[in-house]
Amino acid sequence: VPGEYIANFEKLVAPLELPGELRRLWERLNPATLAVAPRPDSAEAMSVTEFADPAFSWWAYRRQVDHPGLVPEILLCVSAGVGRFRFVELAGPHGEGGMVYEWHYGGSAFRPCFGSIAAWLGALADGLREDPQTVGERGAAMAWVDPATYAERARLPDVPPIGPEPEAWPDSWKAAARMFDGRRRPKPADRSISELLSESAERRVTATIEGVVERRLWGDRGTRMLVCDGTGLLDAWCAATVGAEWLLRSQRTFEVDVVAGPGLEPPQLESSRWIDRAMNAAPPQAHVTGLRPLLFG
Amino acid sequence: MTPDERIDRLVEALEAAGAPAPEAPSDHAGLVALQGEIAPLRLPDTLRRLWERVSIGSFALVTYPFLSTPEVALGGWRLNRDTDLLVPAGMLPFCYESHNHLLVELEGAGVPGGAVFEWRFTDTSLRLRCAHVDDWLDSLVTLLEDRLFERREGTAGDRLVVDVERHRALLAERLDARGPHPLYGALRVLATERDSWPDHWARATAPLLAAREARGASATVRELLAAARAAEARATLSGVRSNLSIGADRSWRVLLADSTGVLDVHCPVDTPGFHSLGDSPLVELDVRAPKLPPPRARVDWRALVVAPEDEAAAEPRLHQLVPAVTPQAVAEAIRPVRPPAGP
């Protein structure tokens, strides 16, 4: 991970700090490139590696700060499975941090699972050593560890879980949360898609919407996507210059800044498939100007 | 013998064989829909009365292939109509099981109807099994009277499973005894290639083939949406289809894109041409766009997502949310358009 990225992270989480082991891990490699994971139990999980890209951690942390109360700011997300996340405790006035917690969508507690990043890596290495047959290939080769043994290793039975509600958080977590009170920049959706389509029928409108996003066509120049928020469907073009390709590949729910209205240029994505070219001849209803994943609820 | 007398005999034979008398259908909606859609062709009277009097779920005699409900028969007829028309449109699959059909020839287009053919999806010919569906029904009475069945326990009570080979032999004997067929003479096997169809098959099918021909767009997506802002609008649109979701009733939501924009279209299962939707990404749609409703304010869209339990904890997917959105238009006819030739 480039040093400047790590420096930006340090600004993002300050006055909290990256734990030493995580910092060292990122200095040596992008952990998302470690093609290892517990053997998946669903097709969706097939390509999910155990560690998240630091870019994901960035967006996740931005979301935590801007929408507080669900995931405490003292935790940094470093692993995202299907509905399951792992966080490392940041360092700060309370101590050196480093404990790894697991949390699920649906109001689970924060359950301690590894005492440190090093212990986590050790458990993965043990799993690979003990069961070398669990190496599968699907797209890029992935090494899988036995999920049952691994789950057993990811247990710290003597450390109690921490409840999901902020009232149940330890004082150090509550104190860390207060450190960010002056730095929150929430930018909630200001319109429904139905309202946006109505307003933009005759004129250009700049707006922020949110909803489920599905990629339809994509190429080097960007992505043609659909957004749905239960009131309408928006067909939008997200140019590569927006810099959201990797987010669109890994996430499905977003806040989306758009310019909508008549006369927007069709993307004319280059494709050898006539069907793609035909679809892309239609002007999109909106151009995307910004995209933020709606992580953690 | 009238159709009702035939059915009475069948019911008596069932009861004599120890099976319960079949119940009457709770409603005739499926039959009415079937008759409406095959019109101007008509069901042979005996089959129509059988479906009017007998709820197929309560019919204890198990034939091969199974006797279908009117709904299933209509589904098979639509599938044939909308896809490759592998058999003439004047044939209704009234029995179906595991890729095998008994087709009854419908009345109309200058033919009396009633002939029964057997046809599998992979067959290149239709085999005449009965000169008339009356013979098929009478053969069931004979099977029951001669006890050519096996009694099996089923979840809905005992079922009498007919001896398939004996049934076939019985039908063949009756067909031979009838002598030359008024339409097919001594022919027992007729090729499904359209070029070799008898004239009356082609006549019955011609209107449906014509209905599948693309006519050209009458408006663009943009023009339709502009018109719908003032009042309900109708148009023929031509463009590229991509799928949004499939409803619990198997209807499709599709996005139609032309050179002016995209349109969210609901395609009910009973839309003419519905089964051709999967054939080609290029389509022509006759659509009705209701007057554009006032815009809806934001909603808690996560609460709208209907997800299977195992997906509830994961991020929602677009197709789970689409049903909450009112479609911009409803398809009234669907016609596939041939893709451009070459690379």
Side-chain angles (χ1 to χ4, degrees):
Chain A
V1 178
E4 63 184 296
Y5 284 22
I6 297 175
N8 284 337
F9 254 103
E10 288 178 324
K11 285 181 199 162
L12 180 68
V13 304
L16 301 175
E17 297 168 10
L18 298 177
E21 286 183 352
L22 179 64
R23 195 178 204 291
R24 184 66 191 132
L25 178 65
W26 282 1
E27 283 170 350
R28 290 191 58 179
L29 50 84
N30 177 343
T33 62
L34 292 172
V36 59
R39 191 168 54 246
D41 59 0
S42 68
E44 192 177 357
M46 294 285 274
S47 58
V48 178
T49 57
E50 179 69 335
F51 289 99
D53 193 299
F56 176 87
S57 304
W58 172 273
W59 282 104
Y61 202 76
R62 285 274 307 272
R63 177 78 179 161
Q64 286 167 247
V65 170
D66 291 344
H67 299 271
L70 193 62
V71 178
E73 294 82 343
I74 202 167
L75 299 183
L76 177 67
C77 187
V78 289
S79 173
V82 177
R84 187 276 292 156
F85 304 89
R86 288 202 179 127
F87 305 83
V88 63
E89 190 179 50
L90 296 168
H94 60 285
E96 294 182 354
M99 175 78 82
V100 180
Y101 292 87
E102 183 170 294
W103 176 84
H104 296 251
Y105 276 141
S108 84
F110 295 92
R111 188 178 64 80
C113 56
F114 293 108
S116 66
I117 294 279
W120 189 357
L121 290 167
L124 280 171
D126 288 347
L128 289 171
R129 264 195 299 271
E130 287 167 15
D131 195 2
Q133 296 176 3
T134 54
V135 176
E137 284 190 42
R138 188 177 174 90
M142 282 277 284
W144 289 330
V145 298
D146 177 63
T149 315
Y150 184 63
E152 188 56 33
R153 287 197 172 97
R155 252 171 28 97
L156 291 174
D158 298 333
V159 186
I162 294 172
E165 299 301 330
E167 296 76 30
W169 295 353
D171 289 344
S172 59
W173 287 22
K174 291 176 185 169
R178 286 194 293 274
M179 294 173 187
F180 291 85
D181 279 347
R183 296 163 47 184
R184 307 192 195 280
R185 296 170 297 176
K187 190 183 178 191
D190 55 26
R191 281 178 184 78
S192 70
I193 290 176
S194 174
E195 290 167 333
L196 176 65
L197 290 173
S198 176
E199 288 177 42
S200 64
E202 301 291 345
R203 63 185 178 88
R204 292 280 172 92
V205 175
T206 301
T208 299
I209 55 169
E210 68 171 39
V212 179
V213 170
E214 185 172 280
R215 293 199 301 166
R216 282 296 163 123
L217 299 168
W218 56 91
D220 292 344
R221 296 181 52 224
T223 297
R224 187 82 179 248
M225 63 192 212
L226 291 174
V227 193
C228 185
D229 69 351
T231 71
L233 267 166
L234 186 77
D235 165 41
W237 165 245
C238 183
T241 49
V242 175
E245 284 300 305
W246 67 272
L247 274 176
L248 286 166
R249 281 198 299 273
S250 61
Q251 302 298 310
R252 290 201 288 268
T253 57
F254 292 92
E255 279 172 353
V256 190
D257 300 328
V258 294
V259 174
L264 294 171
E265 281 296 309
Q268 302 291 2
L269 266 180
E270 287 178 17
S271 172
S272 58
R273 302 196 325 156
W274 65 265
I275 180 73
D276 293 355
R277 294 197 301 272
M279 188 69 96
N280 269 306
Q285 292 165 319
H287 281 177
V288 175
T289 57
L291 202 68
R292 293 173 296 285
L294 289 174
L295 296 165
F296 312 137
Chain B
M1 197 183 301
T2 68
D4 275 303
E5 287 168 346
R6 284 201 148 82
I7 296 165
D8 288 341
R9 277 188 66 216
L10 177 62
V11 172
E12 286 164 15
L14 272 167
E15 290 181 305
E23 298 165 9
S26 56
D27 66 65
H28 293 142
L31 182 59
V32 169
L34 168 62
Q35 291 175 292
E37 239 173 279
I38 61 174
L41 301 174
R42 299 179 307 277
L43 290 172
D45 284 344
T46 304
L47 185 57
R48 176 180 54 79
R49 282 300 292 150
L50 184 66
W51 273 330
E52 282 173 347
R53 289 184 52 181
V54 172
S55 163
I56 301 306
S58 69
F59 189 54
L61 194 60
V62 178
T63 58
Y64 177 80
F66 289 131
L67 176 59
S68 298
T69 62
E71 289 86 350
V72 169
L74 176 56
W77 187 81
R78 284 174 176 164
L79 184 65
N80 181 55
R81 173 198 65 186
D82 293 347
T83 52
D84 293 328
L85 274 166
L86 293 174
V87 297
M91 302 282 176
L92 179 80
F94 74 107
C95 293
Y96 174 74
E97 182 178 349
S98 190
H99 298 187
N100 194 19
H101 310 73
L102 286 184
L103 309 166
V104 65
E105 182 153 30
L106 299 169
E107 297 176 2
V111 297
V116 174
F117 294 86
E118 186 168 356
W119 175 71
R120 295 170 195 272
F121 278 121
T122 50
D123 288 347
T124 56
S125 58
L126 303 180
R127 282 154 292 155
L128 185 65
R129 291 299 188 205
C130 304
H132 196 276
V133 69
D134 289 352
D135 291 346
W136 177 81
L137 199 74
D138 291 346
S139 73
L140 302 184
V141 176
T142 305
L143 289 168
L144 288 165
E145 290 172 345
D146 294 348
R147 307 195 77 76
L148 297 174
F149 58 81
E150 183 185 341
R151 189 182 303 273
R152 290 186 198 162
E153 278 185 31
T155 52
D158 282 0
R159 288 289 182 262
L160 311 181
V161 181
V162 305
D163 181 328
V164 176
E165 291 310 315
R166 297 296 296 274
H167 192 195
R168 281 212 172 110
L170 197 59
L171 292 177
E173 286 168 19
R174 284 172 188 262
L175 186 60
D176 288 343
R178 286 265 203 165
H181 189 276
L183 288 171
Y184 306 110
L187 283 176
R188 294 293 178 265
V189 177
L190 289 93
T192 54
E193 285 172 8
R194 216 172 288 163
D195 291 348
S196 63
W197 284 2
D199 286 347
H200 70 282
W201 287 9
R203 276 201 309 276
T205 307
L208 297 176
L209 283 172
R212 289 162 46 149
E213 289 298 314
R215 296 158 197 185
S218 68
T220 64
V221 166
R222 185 162 177 75
E223 288 166 347
L224 177 75
L225 288 174
R229 278 197 283 279
E232 179 178 272
R234 280 188 159 82
T236 298
L237 305 173
S238 185
V240 182
R241 160 197 62 80
S242 72
N243 293 358
L244 294 172
S245 69
I246 296 178
D249 63 354
R250 295 186 292 121
S251 62
W252 283 26
R253 282 287 282 277
V254 304
L255 203 65
L256 183 79
D258 72 7
S259 61
T260 67
V262 296
L263 187 75
D264 167 19
V265 186
H266 175 57
C267 301
V269 175
D270 59 0
T271 312
F274 175 81
H275 293 284
S276 70
L277 261 181
D279 287 355
S280 170
L282 285 183
V283 289
E284 193 174 271
L285 302 181
D286 293 345
V287 298
R288 176 180 59 82
K291 183 179 184 309
L292 209 61
R296 292 169 64 194
R298 289 179 61 202
V299 296
D300 178 5
W301 50 269
R302 286 183 191 277
L304 297 174
V305 172
V306 180
E309 200 169 301
D310 58 346
E311 288 185 20
E315 279 195 295
R317 291 174 181 275
L318 189 105
H319 70 84
Q320 294 168 329
L321 202 50
V322 164
V325 177
T326 306
Q328 292 169 300
V330 178
E332 295 186 323
I334 299 164
R335 293 180 289 276
V337 176
R338 207 179 300 276

